[in-house]
Each structure stands twice: as structure tokens, then as C-alpha cells.
Amino acid sequence: MSVHAPGESHPDERPGIELELKFDLSPGDVRKLCRMPWLKALQEGKVHRQSLHALYFDTPAHDLADRRISLRVRKESRAYVQCLKSNTASDCNGFSRQEKEWPVKRARLDPDLLKKDTRAGRALADIDIDTLTAVFETDITRQSRVLVCADGTRMKCEVDRGRIVAGDADVTIHEMELEFVSGEITTFYDIARKIAQSVPVRLSLCSKACRGFSLASGTMPHWQRARHPKPRRGASNGEVLRSALQLGLRQVLANAPCVLARSHEEGVHQMRVALRRMRSALSLYRGGVGIQKTRDLVGMIRETSAALGDARDWDVFIGTTLPAVRYSEAAAPGSEALLRRSSALRDEAYERAQAYLGSREYGCLLVELAACSTVHRDGEKEIGPDGAALGGDVDLGAPATDFAYRVLARGHARLMKRGRGLKKLSAADRHRLRIAVKKARYTSELFASLFDADKTHPYLKALGRLQDVLGHLNDRVVAERLLERVGAATPAIRDKSFRRAVGEVSGWYGHLQVSQEQELLSAWKSFRRRAPFWSA
């Protein structure tokens, strides 16, 4: 059995490729985990301790940081090692890295080694190697363990504690890396699950290089927009599902630091988009990772999305709704109180979201998604992370196009049914239509690359416009609910100016709804004119 990715072999059969999971955890949980009997029972030999000092390099234009490449010279015991790491070309989830090492005589970069190496030359193409200089350093104490499981599967477990220093700035780190060495990948993920179940951990894509570059530049975590899955023409169902889960998980992990630092409101939005897309893909391919596991995963994703939902609602209300309202003179003082109380409630919502991102439940979800995004091949059968043959009602080895035709047509028919008599639909029916539109869009984006772009683009554009309008109309429902919460939690509710400000927000939405209703009818009419791209 081997890890399967298009055009790749098993990680331990390819020189220079490492498959690892990196966990962030608290200092107390590091100690607790290392003392657990089950972990000690798997340990082969003694714990090896090292003090590691490394210098990381980049150009003045931050070319390596922009390409997610790390280049370092590290002292290991009495030796020095120069190391170049970069993402693999086919890596979607960020857990596979290409690595090349050279022994060097001292703690200095040797540019000639980079210039002579073909693989390094490709990674550093168009970068002036002679301009590379040290930008930060790390001082790390590492505890290394070799874990050997009952079936012979071997992995490295390394716990790093220390700090990153860039000029006068520094940051402490506490992390664990679990690296696959040989054996069964299913067992590797079983151990990862046990770690996540034992203590709260957070799967992370942020390497020491990433943290160091951010520290050196003084930048806060950035949000990252989702990339749509683009499976190749003729891709199997398994490839499509794997691509969706890998990209979705990567988007969640990339935006979590933004939410934790509250550096931009798009972070929480992009996390929720990724969660919905993964939930949609899993629901389409129910049985693809086991019927019960699909249900469990969908439930965990819903729980996580709900934990982030309140923060997103307040972001929209405070960032979009309130600035657009033009208050009367009588309501102006009350509008300030409304903004203050809304901001306080948003702060509380973010505290709850951040607490959830540090929870055991969230850590377990991330490990499950990582496991499910790794698909194995045993003969002609697709094998899941549990080692059992997958499929259920879907043949994951079959070309995805046939399945795509069926689910796209089914989703389109459901959408058209929900939209009948649009003018007279109740609020509940409007909500069902919005959900149907959202599902149809995620499904269409999932399979779009299997069809001609000149046919998919007009359909997706019309569908996106329809979703946006329905979303704006739903904002009013959310805003009314939030206004009730502000009023219930604000002693100033007895103040006439405050009540007037709340009323004017509601009135503004009522006025806006007139134009939005017309926009909805126009968007619906435009969508109905678009021929489905799978039947055009």
C-alpha cells in the first residue's frame, strides 16, 4: 500500500520528500503529551536532545518568503548543514516538502552549492543568489523520538521549544512535528489522531521560516483567498474529492492565524467558505470516506463553522451595514452607543472563535481532514485512511465526468424548483433557495475544470450574482437578530436617541430591500437564460 498522489510514488521512496504534520500546542500540553504512557510505549531507544542554532536567508526583496522557500544554515552538534526547502509541485495541502541538504564548514551560506545544484536552480529561478543575506535566527531545543508501532510503521516525533529572533524582535515557539518514515500511512494518521485526542493541538502550515519572515518584516498574518479545485480532464472521482479536501484544508490552516491575531475580517470569512466547500464535497461523495465517517466529519465541520459564524455576522454588521446608514441628527448620539455595544459583542464573538480554534475538537477535525485528503491505492481499489476499501455509492476509481453530469443536473433541477414563483416565496422558501444556489455553485466550481471554460464561465458568473443578491437580502435577517441582541444587552435601550438609531438601521434595510428585490428578479432571469455547461 502506498500514498497516492497523481504522478507520485510513496514519500519514503522519493529522495528529498518529507511528509510531516506540524502541531502548535501550549508549553503545558507539550509536557503532558511527552509524559503519556502510550507515547512512551511506542518510543524506540532514548530521547535524543539537541540544541539547534540556525540562520535563515532571503533577498532584500523577500523573494524566498514570497515563494514559501526556506534557506538556512544550521549548527547540528559540531557540524553545519545548509538546507533548502520548498513546496512540492503537486502539494495541495502543504504537508509535503521538498528538501535538499549540503554539509558546510561554518555558519555561512555557500552560494556555489546552490548554483551548482539543478533542483536548487529550479526553485531559485530568477533570484539573484549573490544578494542573499541573513534575516533572522532561531535558537531551538529539540527532543527527538523514534516511534515504532505494532505493525512496524516508523515515524519521527520531534518537540521543538525555543525562540525566533529578528533584530530586536523575538517570539517563542512550542511545536511538535510528526514525520512519516516507513510502513503504513494509515498507522501514521492513527498516531496523529491519538495526539489530537490527548491534548489540544492545532495543525499548522506555518514553518519556522514563515514565522521568522513575518517577524523580520513586522507583518501581521494575511488572509488568503480560496483556490478552486482544478482536477485534470479525465480525473477520477477520488482525485476530485482529494483535491477539494486538500485545498479546503489548506485554506482553513492558512487563514486561522489571521483569525487568532484578528489582523483582518476576511480571515474568518475565508475559513467558513473553505469549511462549506469541504462539507459540500463530502456530502456529494458520501461513502467516499465511509458513510458514518462522512456524517461525523460533516457534523464536526458544521460545529466549527458555527463557532466562527457569530464573529462573521458582526463583521458584516459593523463593517458594512452601520457605515452605510445615514442617521438623522436626533439619532446620531444613539448611533455611537450602537456602534460601541456592537463592537463589544463582536469582541466577545471573536474570543469565543479563538477559544474554539484552541480546542481539542478543532484539532481532531484538522487531523481527520488531513487523513481523508490522503488517499491510498491498493491494486485497483481506493483505500481510505482507515485501511478499508472506499466507494459506497460512488466508484472513486471511475472517471469523475459521469458522476459530475448526474450531480450537476440534480442540483440544477433542485435550484430551479426552489425558485418557482420567486416573487411570492416566503422568507423560509427564500432561505431554501439561497442554500440551493450556494450548493449548486460549490458543485459547479468543483467540477468546472472537467468542462470547457467558455461554457462554464457564463453559468458560474450568473450563479455567483444570484448568490450575492440572496446573500445581501439575508443580511437584513441577520441584522435584525443582531439588533435585538444589542438592545437586550444595552441599558441605553431606554434612551430615545438609541432607540431611534436602531429604528433607522431597520428602516435603511427596508428601503434597500426595494432595490434588492428588483436586482434579485433580474439576477434570476439572467440565470435562467444560461444553459447548463454540462449539457451545452
Side-chain angles (χ1 to χ4, degrees):
M1 185 183 292
S2 62
V3 178
H4 175 70
E8 292 192 355
S9 58
H10 198 286
D12 61 353
E13 296 167 354
R14 289 173 286 147
I17 297 293
E18 54 180 27
L19 174 63
E20 64 181 31
L21 300 178
K22 185 189 298 289
F23 299 101
D24 289 334
L25 62 173
S26 72
D29 286 330
V30 169
R31 292 188 293 271
K32 181 179 178 181
L33 184 61
C34 291
R35 294 170 182 165
M36 289 195 166
W38 70 264
L39 188 67
K40 290 183 177 181
L42 297 176
Q43 183 177 310
E44 181 183 69
K46 295 182 179 180
V47 176
H48 180 57
R49 292 175 173 83
Q50 281 181 293
S51 293
L52 305 172
H53 179 80
L55 290 174
Y56 285 76
F57 298 82
D58 203 348
T59 67
H62 311 297
D63 294 305
L64 270 62
D66 291 343
R67 297 189 189 184
R68 295 178 57 82
I69 295 172
S70 71
L71 176 63
R72 71 173 184 237
V73 175
R74 186 168 72 187
K75 183 179 181 182
E76 301 179 359
S77 298
R78 297 181 180 180
Y80 293 94
V81 178
Q82 181 170 302
C83 178
L84 178 72
K85 286 187 179 184
S86 61
N87 288 338
T88 63
S90 62
D91 177 43
C92 289
N93 58 23
F95 303 135
S96 298
R97 301 268 284 170
Q98 193 169 47
E99 177 179 320
K100 181 64 183 287
E101 293 184 341
W102 305 265
V104 290
K105 295 181 179 180
R106 50 187 175 176
R108 285 189 181 179
L109 186 70
D110 188 340
D112 291 337
L113 293 173
L114 301 173
K115 294 174 182 178
K116 294 176 183 178
D117 190 271
T118 303
R119 187 182 298 167
R122 287 196 298 266
L124 302 174
D126 303 322
I127 292 177
D128 187 352
I129 292 175
D130 292 324
T131 65
L132 292 166
T133 57
V135 291
F136 65 90
E137 59 185 310
T138 61
D139 279 305
I140 302 297
T141 299
R142 169 170 293 174
Q143 292 182 359
S144 301
R145 296 167 174 80
V146 174
L147 305 183
V148 182
C149 300
D151 63 357
T153 298
R154 301 174 68 87
M155 63 197 77
K156 294 180 183 177
C157 178
E158 297 180 333
V159 176
D160 286 353
R161 287 176 277 198
R163 64 182 190 139
I164 302 173
V165 181
D168 295 330
D170 71 310
V171 63
T172 59
I173 60 171
H174 298 86
E175 61 186 30
M176 169 181 280
E177 291 184 6
L178 193 66
E179 182 178 348
F180 180 77
V181 176
S182 63
E184 299 292 335
I185 200 70
T186 55
T187 307
F188 172 78
Y189 278 111
D190 284 341
I191 299 304
R193 287 188 183 96
K194 199 158 189 177
I195 290 172
Q197 291 163 1
S198 298
V199 295
V201 295
R202 185 165 53 245
L203 201 60
S204 173
L205 294 179
C206 195
S207 64
K208 295 179 186 68
C210 175
R211 297 176 199 269
F213 287 135
S214 296
L215 184 66
S217 62
T219 57
M220 295 289 284
H222 297 292
W223 64 274
Q224 294 189 26
R225 190 180 299 278
R227 290 164 48 201
H228 296 158
K230 292 184 178 180
R232 60 178 178 81
R233 294 287 183 93
S236 69
N237 285 312
E239 288 177 68
V240 172
L241 175 59
R242 182 168 60 253
S243 175
L245 294 179
Q246 287 177 342
L247 286 174
L249 177 57
R250 185 179 184 87
Q251 186 187 355
V252 167
L253 297 178
N255 284 285
C258 184
V259 176
L260 292 168
R262 282 194 67 178
S263 52
H264 199 286
E265 61 267 16
E266 270 296 315
V268 72
H269 175 53
Q270 292 298 326
M271 284 190 73
R272 296 186 79 233
V273 169
L275 290 166
R276 287 197 298 264
R277 284 179 172 166
M278 287 190 287
R279 191 178 75 192
S280 175
L282 285 166
S283 296
L284 285 174
Y285 283 109
R286 55 187 176 275
V289 291
I291 296 295
Q292 188 57 50
K293 182 173 286 295
T294 300
R295 289 174 183 156
D296 292 343
L297 267 174
V298 167
M300 295 166 75
I301 291 173
R302 279 202 180 101
E303 180 180 327
T304 304
S305 187
L308 301 171
D310 209 22
R312 174 58 182 169
D313 289 343
W314 285 113
D315 279 339
V316 173
F317 183 70
I318 294 171
T320 303
T321 301
L322 294 185
V325 179
R326 296 294 178 262
Y327 298 99
S328 66
E329 185 175 343
S335 68
E336 295 176 3
L338 174 59
L339 177 59
R340 284 196 304 272
R341 185 54 191 158
S342 298
S343 298
L345 289 172
R346 176 168 65 170
D347 290 343
E348 293 174 8
Y350 263 94
E351 288 174 4
R352 290 191 296 273
Q354 291 164 341
Y356 189 85
L357 296 188
S359 70
R360 199 167 306 194
E361 291 78 10
Y362 178 67
C364 288
L365 170 63
L366 296 182
V367 171
E368 287 297 339
L369 290 172
C372 290
S373 68
T374 303
V375 179
H376 315 272
R377 188 171 292 280
D378 185 5
E380 296 302 316
K381 298 178 182 179
E382 293 282 358
I383 306 297
D386 293 336
L390 302 180
D393 55 352
V394 182
D395 180 1
L396 292 185
T401 307
D402 291 341
F403 181 69
Y405 278 120
R406 296 201 304 273
V407 296
L408 286 166
R410 188 168 63 227
H412 183 80
R414 184 184 301 113
L415 194 163
M416 298 303 293
K417 180 179 179 181
R418 295 292 189 198
R420 289 175 187 168
L422 180 60
K423 287 184 178 180
K424 298 180 180 179
L425 289 183
S426 65
D429 287 335
R430 285 275 184 94
H431 177 70
R432 295 187 187 96
L433 173 62
R434 186 174 66 86
I435 298 302
V437 169
K438 191 179 296 186
K439 288 182 177 179
R441 185 178 182 183
Y442 292 154
T443 304
S444 297
E445 289 173 345
L446 179 63
F447 294 113
S449 66
L450 304 179
F451 301 87
D452 293 333
D454 58 348
K455 295 178 181 178
T456 59
H457 180 70
Y459 184 88
L460 285 171
K461 185 177 180 180
L463 192 58
R465 180 191 173 197
L466 183 58
Q467 182 182 347
D468 288 343
V469 177
L470 285 165
H472 292 321
L473 286 166
N474 186 64
D475 286 344
R476 180 184 183 181
V477 177
V478 175
E480 293 290 352
R481 174 171 52 81
L482 297 181
L483 286 171
E484 289 181 7
R485 288 176 58 185
V486 173
T490 306
I493 191 65
R494 294 184 296 274
D495 181 79
K496 185 181 294 186
S497 176
F498 180 86
R499 293 199 305 271
R500 184 153 190 158
V502 170
E504 289 185 8
V505 173
S506 297
W508 176 82
Y509 262 116
H511 175 75
L512 184 64
Q513 187 171 6
V514 176
S515 61
Q516 287 179 335
E517 287 288 343
Q518 293 303 315
E519 176 67 14
L520 175 60
L521 294 176
S522 173
W524 177 248
K525 185 177 180 180
S526 175
F527 173 73
R528 291 184 62 185
R529 287 200 300 264
R530 300 296 178 191
F533 58 84
W534 58 91
S535 61

